[in-house]
Amino acid sequence: MSRDEDFETGLARALRRTAGDFPPPSADLVRRSVGRGRRKRLFAAVRTTAAAVAVVTAGGGLLAVGPLGGHGDGTPERLRTGSHATGQPPSPKPTPPSGAEMIRTLTGLLPPGGTVSDATGRDAEAGDGIVWPMAKLTYTTARGSTALDVTLTRQTPGVPADQQGEGGCLPVQVRPYDRCGTEKLPGGAVLTTVQSFTYPNRDTGQKRWYAVLTTADGAEVTVQEFAGGGEKAASGAADPLLSLAELAAIVRSPRWESALAALPTPPRAPATGRKAVPADRMTRVLRSHLPRGGTVSDLNAGDGLVQLVHDDGHGRNMVEADAQYDMADALAGHMGCAGVAGDCRSETLGDGTRVKTVRGRSEKGGSAQVWLVDVLYPDGRRVVAREVNSYAEAAPVTRPRPALSLELLRDIALDKGFFSG
């Protein structure tokens, strides 16, 4: 055997012997390796500078603004053409921002003259359970303190946009004291600004103002502030230090562009396969039962649920209907009156349909009266018809009692038109 063959044979034996001395790999080796690689990428984000937010000509002219309310896609036409002409490869996808970068960006967008304290940040993390980047801090001036936090997120594919994210105005039935506005921006982004309260079911206490920028591709920048300090840390009626216009300027800043572009896209939501009553049918059936001569406002309709405010000339009255399938198992033992507060009556019709009627008080601490009729069919279909003697359960009462009689509410709940085309 040649010297080379001796060497190769010895080397092979040594490798096998050494490998045999190692313990077998742990079951979570792959998971830990992926996690380590993800952390290394996130740590690298701290060392990289933010991508340019605008390109300026030699004479100082601005060529592009970008998707946060400007024109185009944030890349000047001159730059796009030049890169193709020279054959340069496209720039690598930016790295998700770290908590430290989030703090620096938010701090840099605050008005001058104040001080920042108690700043904390959270790194972005991709994977099965995405962690969105966030920063929070306290901003103080001679006029007092306000707590701010900013979060970057991306909407989940396969889920309707109006069912996720922070953008858009919530229905008055849900947020009766919000002062909300939306604005469509060039490029398809939508800006939402809201003046609310830390406890949104009442119009007193600490004020919470926020702004949301939702881009055309579903990325969001949300900044909120709490007057007087951290969330629930103050109870006065003072306004936050930053105005809505200043909050809007923060979320619209091009400084977020590279961070938004780097956000991972959540996995597509799986199809639930659950049946739902279409929103237009929900609305049509409910409105067909309303007394003539009244007015309808604040319509909030979705698949399986419709809410509206009906005014018969004697005060606004919220009415809603909720229709569901396959609820027999979930409601087993819950169609009786045991443990139900208020005036409750339960009955079983000849075909086995269960009907529960309840007159009670609001569970949200207000003085409103809540009347409802809950119907469960033997095959699991369910309809709940409900009304409140106000435009929202947490709002002040607008009439002595609900406008629709219990008999009419019962007719709504027993209308099988919700389930027929």
Side-chain angles (χ1 to χ4, degrees):
M1 183 179 294
S2 69
R3 181 178 300 176
D4 289 341
E5 290 174 334
D6 286 340
F7 174 78
E8 292 173 0
T9 302
L11 176 62
R13 290 172 179 169
L15 289 174
R16 286 195 295 270
R17 184 170 58 252
T18 303
D21 293 337
F22 280 104
S26 61
D28 65 342
L29 175 63
V30 174
R31 177 184 59 80
R32 290 188 290 108
S33 300
V34 172
R36 181 172 182 270
R38 182 185 303 135
R39 288 193 296 273
K40 290 180 66 176
R41 289 195 301 273
L42 292 175
F43 292 153
V46 179
R47 298 191 297 269
T48 59
T49 58
V53 298
V55 176
V56 183
T57 66
L62 188 65
L63 293 181
V65 176
L68 301 188
H71 303 285
D73 62 0
T75 304
E77 186 63 34
R78 183 184 303 174
L79 186 59
R80 286 197 297 263
T81 304
S83 64
H84 289 302
T86 60
Q88 296 177 355
S91 300
K93 185 177 177 63
T95 307
S98 67
E101 289 176 310
M102 295 290 291
I103 294 172
R104 286 196 297 270
T105 303
L106 176 58
T107 300
L109 293 172
L110 297 177
T115 60
V116 170
S117 60
D118 302 322
T120 60
R122 182 178 67 201
D123 294 353
E125 185 172 345
D128 293 337
I130 294 177
V131 177
W132 300 115
M134 180 272 291
K136 62 188 338 182
L137 52 82
T138 299
Y139 176 72
T140 303
T141 70
R143 296 189 293 122
S145 297
T146 195
L148 294 111
D149 62 68
V150 62
T151 307
L152 309 184
T153 59
R154 185 174 294 282
Q155 295 180 353
T156 300
V159 179
D162 60 354
Q163 296 180 18
Q164 59 177 323
E166 299 294 330
C169 295
L170 295 174
V172 67
Q173 296 91 338
V174 178
R175 302 291 283 272
Y177 302 111
D178 280 9
R179 296 174 59 186
C180 177
T182 60
E183 178 185 357
K184 188 72 174 288
L185 303 177
V190 176
L191 173 67
T192 303
T193 54
V194 182
Q195 291 177 311
S196 186
F197 295 86
T198 301
Y199 296 97
N201 289 331
R202 59 189 193 218
D203 59 351
T204 58
Q206 185 184 38
K207 293 182 179 179
R208 171 191 176 235
W209 293 0
Y210 64 94
V212 184
L213 190 286
T214 306
T215 67
D217 66 349
E220 282 193 348
V221 186
T222 302
V223 62
Q224 61 177 348
E225 65 171 328
F226 299 89
E231 182 179 3
K232 301 179 182 179
S235 58
D239 287 347
L241 294 184
L242 273 65
S243 66
L244 280 183
E246 289 173 312
L247 294 180
I250 290 176
V251 298
R252 293 188 64 178
S253 171
R255 298 186 191 182
W256 301 114
E257 280 192 18
S258 60
L260 291 176
L263 292 179
T265 299
R268 173 169 289 274
T272 62
R274 297 181 61 182
K275 294 185 293 183
V277 179
D280 57 348
R281 189 192 306 165
M282 295 291 303
T283 304
R284 184 176 64 252
V285 174
L286 177 58
R287 294 191 68 154
S288 71
H289 288 276
L290 298 179
R292 296 182 179 277
T295 60
V296 171
S297 64
D298 299 297
L299 176 64
N300 172 39
D303 290 352
L305 175 68
V306 58
Q307 298 173 314
L308 54 81
V309 175
H310 179 260
D311 192 341
D312 60 1
H314 300 285
R316 289 181 288 174
N317 191 82
M318 188 194 84
V319 186
E320 72 176 32
D322 187 349
Q324 302 165 306
Y325 291 92
D326 303 321
M327 294 298 293
D329 292 339
L331 292 177
H334 294 281
M335 290 302 292
C337 289
V340 176
D343 180 12
C344 177
R345 184 174 71 253
S346 178
E347 60 181 312
T348 302
L349 305 183
D351 62 354
T353 299
R354 301 292 302 273
V355 179
K356 181 166 69 174
T357 303
V358 180
R359 291 189 297 181
R361 302 295 294 271
S362 168
E363 296 180 352
K364 298 186 177 181
S367 56
Q369 298 180 47
V370 180
W371 293 2
L372 69 86
V373 178
D374 192 345
V375 171
L376 178 64
Y377 294 100
D379 61 2
R381 292 176 299 165
R382 181 198 191 192
V383 177
V384 181
R386 185 170 172 270
E387 64 174 328
V388 180
N389 60 333
S390 179
Y391 56 90
E393 188 173 338
V397 299
T398 52
R399 52 188 303 126
R401 56 186 288 167
L404 308 185
S405 67
L406 279 175
E407 289 74 19
L408 179 52
L409 210 60
R410 178 187 174 97
D411 289 343
I412 295 173
L414 285 169
D415 191 334
K416 294 184 179 180
F418 286 112
F419 300 104
S420 63

